[in-house]
Amino acid sequence: MTEHQRQVISSALEGRAANGKMQRLLDALPDDLQGEMLGIWERATVPAGHILIEENTEAENIGFVLDGLLAMIKDLPDGRRHIIGLLTPADLFGRAFNGKSGYRIEALTETEVLTCPREPFEALLVRSPEAERLFLLNVLDELDAAREWVMVLGSGKVVQRVASLLLILCRHKVQGAIAPRAPINLNIKLKRVDIAHLLGTSPESLSRSFKQLERDGIIAINTPYDMDVLDLGELTEAAGNALLIEDFDL
Amino acid sequence: MTEHQRQVISSALEGRAANGKMQRLLDALPDDLQGEMLGIWERATVPAGHILIEENTEAENIGFVLDGLLAMIKDLPDGRRHIIGLLTPADLFGRAFNGKSGYRIEALTETEVLTCPREPFEALLVRSPEAERLFLLNVLDELDAAREWVMVLGSGKVVQRVASLLLILCRHKVQGAIAPRAPINLNIKLKRVDIAHLLGTSPESLSRSFKQLERDGIIAINTPYDMDVLDLGELTEAAGNALLIEDFDL
DNA sequence: CGCGGCGTTGAACACGGTCAATTCTTGTGG
DNA sequence: CCACAAGAATTGACCGTGTTCAACGCCGCG
């Protein structure tokens, strides 16, 4: 690894949420591959609304989110759109080994990403079982996340889905920290419309659900993008499913 | 590989839907590992209703479906249940490398499976990059399937979800066969209640949706478990989303 | 023959989607 | 700094869809 490469990466990671994970990923690689891995990545800043991977194309790039928020989006023939999942810092996206994508990747906010061409990335995975193992674990996590969404969307009522979303955000926020008794402050970076598309509902219904949770004393809404979860237990209750409880040591 | 092992496996695969895939998986392995892989599997027949992997436990087994139908099921606190996904012949289940499972695996019909202890399976994947690659590809497929469900469940109307389900079943049935013009006969092995839990709706709504599709001339219902898809194009239309169209060469 | 599981049908009601109007916020230019 | 415009969120009213509850028909089985 050249000094130049080290600098590119360390400056890219500077102060980013994705820093820790990226470091762990790199450390798990054999020394000689670390340099190779670093050498193929390039940093980019994309504005909100930018499309990183088009639907139904063989994606030629693999990406790694440093900062910001991306979404996997599917447009329906009737003009509606559906958000299949979110990509947050430290998430990988792109379709290594996996053909064309059935949805597109779009930036919901201005986003910092590392990208690299698919070919050398795949080649590196093929050559390095360690790298492939890391990638496999990453895919397994994505699979869990996707199944979790299946559960959330299967739950009938909208309030339950909203509660579930908030729970997931909470979990993401506290990230293994010990039992959070105090209110958890959430900084939502999604517009109401986007949340609606994510939960398969309308902005109007969302608004009502949020209000209901607030009336029930479960959350406090400061601005549409800033709210506090007052009672995690009640929130879990409101979600109606037994998701994620074990992730907080209540 | 001993002659005995060959016989165990070949008799297990005899006439099974999973035969082709299993053979392909084995062929991709280096010779010396084929025997090892075969040696750890054991065949079992489980009755409908049997639970193969309990929720929230570290699953000690990996499984491979030979025949029948399994489901990933999550029980909700309010007594309702939700089916997250189905496992059909040639599907792998269990949680290699992946900790405890958030749902349980239950047999919906009498099912034939191959099972093996998790430890040696993982060990084999670690030792053989080829095996790991196969596993990775399998997980990637599961991920696609899970995301597909996310889309299906996100679509508002029940008829659309039902149509989507039928489409998926059709695709599964014709499996790469060339353009099916004639009616496609579907043999549904799911009870109405199970379909309801899978689609996040009620049996009553299901019944009405099926009837509507029949009234529209899209399907013909012979018995609740036996129906013909008369017009694949219309069915796709009714599904409302652009899923899977490219999978049939219409 | 009667019982029980399963699927369907019908009616009443609740939930959520849709449309329209209003408020709040944000960003722009005077 | 204020006025104004555009976008976003909320609120309210209405209506379609789906859930719920109940009753009925259909088999398969004891």
Side-chain angles (χ1 to χ4, degrees):
Chain A
M1 184 176 357
T2 69
E3 191 52 35
H4 169 69
Q5 284 168 351
R6 279 193 191 284
Q7 283 177 8
V8 166
I9 293 297
S10 66
S11 79
L13 291 173
E14 192 68 35
R16 298 285 169 209
N19 198 337
K21 180 164 175 185
M22 189 69 173
Q23 288 302 340
R24 264 180 291 123
L25 289 176
L26 283 175
D27 288 346
L29 286 183
D31 285 345
D32 56 329
L33 288 177
Q34 283 191 23
E36 187 174 342
M37 178 62 98
L38 290 174
I40 58 180
W41 291 95
E42 205 153 294
R43 190 182 173 183
T45 302
V46 303
H50 185 259
I51 295 175
L52 289 103
I53 296 180
E54 194 58 69
E55 178 181 338
N56 284 328
T57 62
E58 300 252 354
E60 280 314 309
N61 288 309
I62 303 296
F64 180 83
V65 184
L66 291 172
D67 206 351
L69 189 61
L70 305 178
M72 301 174 261
I73 300 186
K74 174 88 180 175
D75 281 314
L76 304 180
D78 55 22
R80 289 169 45 231
R81 61 173 19 194
H82 189 223
I83 296 185
I84 295 146
L86 299 176
L87 295 164
T88 58
D91 279 342
L92 271 173
F93 61 91
R95 305 214 108 215
F97 303 118
N98 209 11
K100 46 168 91 168
S101 119
Y103 43 83
R104 69 171 189 280
I105 309 278
E106 182 178 322
L108 294 181
T109 68
E110 179 173 286
T111 304
E112 303 262 340
V113 291
L114 292 176
T115 60
C116 85
R118 186 173 53 82
E119 300 274 7
F121 182 78
E122 288 182 356
L124 198 149
L125 290 194
V126 169
R127 211 145 9 100
S128 158
E130 292 90 346
E132 189 170 27
R133 166 88 19 78
L134 290 175
F135 184 64
L136 170 59
L137 292 177
N138 181 68
V139 176
L140 283 171
D141 285 343
E142 286 187 69
L143 182 56
D144 282 340
R147 295 231 168 96
E148 194 169 75
W149 273 116
V150 170
M151 281 189 272
V152 170
L153 293 176
S155 311
K157 311 246 182 301
V158 174
V159 200
Q160 298 180 327
R161 296 204 281 256
V162 174
S164 299
L165 173 65
L166 291 178
L167 270 181
I168 291 177
L169 293 178
C170 282
R171 179 184 51 182
H172 201 268
K173 177 109 184 183
V174 303
Q175 198 102 20
I178 35 145
R181 272 279 166 230
I184 303 176
N185 180 264
L186 292 178
N187 188 348
I188 319 231
K189 275 162 296 193
L190 287 161
K191 287 189 294 192
R192 288 289 192 261
V193 192
D194 291 327
I195 305 184
H197 292 144
L198 185 59
L199 297 181
T201 183
S202 64
E204 295 93 331
S205 292
L206 267 190
S207 181
R208 288 171 184 126
S209 296
F210 276 120
K211 287 295 165 121
Q212 179 177 335
L213 289 177
E214 189 173 40
R215 271 199 311 278
D216 297 347
I218 300 178
I219 62 172
I221 305 175
N222 307 316
T223 80
Y225 301 91
D226 174 39
M227 45 186 73
D228 298 287
V229 173
L230 304 177
D231 190 330
L232 209 45
E234 295 261 357
L235 186 61
T236 310
E237 186 101 2
N241 46 40
L243 301 195
L244 340 140
I245 306 177
E246 65 280 358
D247 293 319
F248 305 100
D249 298 314
L250 291 178
Chain B
M1 187 178 352
T2 69
E3 192 52 35
H4 168 69
Q5 284 167 352
R6 280 193 192 282
Q7 283 178 7
V8 167
I9 294 297
S10 67
S11 79
L13 290 173
E14 193 68 35
R16 300 282 169 209
N19 198 338
K21 180 163 174 185
M22 189 69 174
Q23 288 302 341
R24 263 181 292 123
L25 289 176
L26 283 175
D27 288 347
L29 286 182
D31 285 345
D32 56 330
L33 288 177
Q34 283 191 23
E36 189 175 341
M37 178 62 98
L38 291 174
I40 58 181
W41 291 94
E42 204 153 294
R43 189 180 175 182
T45 303
V46 302
H50 185 258
I51 295 175
L52 290 103
I53 295 181
E54 193 58 70
E55 179 180 338
N56 284 329
T57 62
E58 300 252 354
E60 278 316 307
N61 288 309
I62 303 296
F64 180 84
V65 184
L66 291 172
D67 206 351
L69 189 60
L70 304 179
M72 300 172 263
I73 300 185
K74 174 88 180 174
D75 281 314
L76 305 180
D78 55 23
R80 288 169 47 233
R81 61 173 19 192
H82 189 223
I83 295 186
I84 295 145
L86 299 177
L87 295 164
T88 57
D91 279 341
L92 272 174
F93 61 92
R95 305 214 107 214
F97 303 117
N98 210 12
K100 45 169 90 169
S101 117
Y103 43 82
R104 68 170 189 280
I105 309 279
E106 181 178 322
L108 293 181
T109 68
E110 180 173 286
T111 303
E112 304 261 339
V113 292
L114 292 176
T115 60
C116 84
R118 185 173 53 83
E119 299 275 7
F121 183 78
E122 287 183 357
L124 198 150
L125 290 194
V126 169
R127 212 149 2 106
S128 158
E130 292 89 347
E132 188 170 29
R133 166 91 17 77
L134 290 175
F135 184 64
L136 171 59
L137 292 177
N138 180 69
V139 176
L140 284 170
D141 285 342
E142 287 186 69
L143 182 56
D144 283 340
R147 295 232 167 96
E148 194 169 75
W149 273 116
V150 170
M151 281 189 272
V152 171
L153 292 176
S155 311
K157 312 245 182 300
V158 174
V159 200
Q160 297 181 327
R161 295 204 282 253
V162 174
S164 299
L165 173 64
L166 291 178
L167 269 181
I168 291 177
L169 293 178
C170 282
R171 179 183 51 180
H172 201 267
K173 176 108 184 182
V174 303
Q175 197 103 17
I178 35 147
R181 271 280 167 230
I184 303 175
N185 180 264
L186 291 180
N187 187 349
I188 320 234
K189 275 161 295 192
L190 287 162
K191 286 188 295 193
R192 286 290 192 261
V193 193
D194 290 327
I195 304 183
H197 291 144
L198 186 60
L199 296 182
T201 184
S202 63
E204 295 92 331
S205 291
L206 267 189
S207 182
R208 298 186 225 280
S209 295
F210 277 120
K211 287 295 164 117
Q212 179 177 336
L213 290 176
E214 189 172 40
R215 271 198 310 279
D216 297 347
I218 300 177
I219 63 172
I221 305 175
N222 307 317
T223 79
Y225 300 90
D226 174 38
M227 43 187 74
D228 298 287
V229 173
L230 304 177
D231 190 330
L232 210 43
E234 295 261 359
L235 186 61
T236 310
E237 185 101 3
N241 46 37
L243 304 192
L244 339 140
I245 307 178
E246 66 278 357
D247 293 320
F248 305 101
D249 298 315
L250 291 178

